[in-house]
């Protein structure tokens, strides 16, 4: 594995319809778990379980959005760009390409000025 990702765990996760739909729905716009639940037609507990698994593989990021009434909420955005699975003599090698978060790009920009 080129980035330390467990190929079996990742392919199992990406085989899950709910996890794939979460990645699709959050590709361009961050969504809350309740928005995802309505869009995907899955229960919020199911959404949260898939989000937890996606976060373990760094495939989605979490951001806290402040609200004026003091009740902040979380939104999630896909970080996955691509997955390459290659058959080698030793088995499978998986390469995961992730999107760079805006905050990370800003940090890199400030640090390299």
């Amino acid at each position: 594995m080129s980035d330390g990702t467990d190929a079996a765990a990742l392919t199992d996760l990406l085989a899950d319809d709910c996890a794939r739909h979460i990645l699709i729905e959050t590709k361009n716009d961050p969504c809350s778990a309740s928005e995802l639940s309505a869009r995907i037609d899955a229960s919020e507990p199911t959404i949260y379980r898939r989000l937890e698994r996606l976060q373990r593989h760094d495939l989605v990021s979490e951001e806290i959005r402040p609200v004026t009434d003091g009740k902040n909420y979380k939104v999630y955005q896909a970080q996955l760009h691509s997955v390459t699975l290659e058959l080698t003599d030793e088995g499978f090698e998986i390469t995961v390409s992730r999107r760079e978060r805006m905050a990370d790009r800003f940090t890199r920009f400030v640090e390299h000025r």
Side-chain angles (χ1 to χ4, degrees):
M1 234 89 35
S2 36
D3 72 349
T5 301
D6 176 21
L10 185 59
T11 54
D12 180 56
L13 177 58
L14 294 177
D16 182 88
D17 275 344
C18 184
R20 285 196 317 272
H21 281 95
I22 288 171
L23 291 169
I24 292 165
E25 291 295 328
T26 61
K27 180 180 186 285
N28 294 316
D29 295 310
C31 295
S32 68
S34 61
E35 290 172 319
L36 288 167
S37 176
R39 289 182 186 183
I40 297 172
D41 193 28
S43 70
E44 282 193 42
T46 298
I47 296 294
Y48 279 115
R49 283 192 300 273
R50 293 318 182 283
L51 285 167
E52 183 180 303
R53 289 181 66 200
L54 289 163
Q55 286 179 301
R56 271 186 287 194
H57 290 279
D58 294 323
L59 301 181
V60 294
S61 63
E62 176 184 287
E63 178 184 329
I64 296 176
R65 296 270 170 98
V67 180
T68 54
D69 68 0
K71 271 185 128 179
N72 299 334
Y73 68 101
K74 296 176 183 176
V75 293
Y76 303 88
Q77 184 157 27
Q79 297 303 308
L80 177 64
H81 176 66
S82 66
V83 175
T84 305
L85 188 63
E86 183 180 344
L87 178 60
T88 67
D89 292 337
E90 292 80 35
F92 290 97
E93 183 175 310
I94 193 163
T95 305
V96 179
S97 173
R98 293 170 178 85
R99 297 176 354 165
E100 188 174 29
R101 295 182 325 182
M102 182 65 80
D104 295 336
R105 267 188 277 172
F106 179 74
T107 300
R108 190 170 37 83
F109 171 75
V110 170
E111 289 176 350
H112 291 93
R113 287 185 66 191

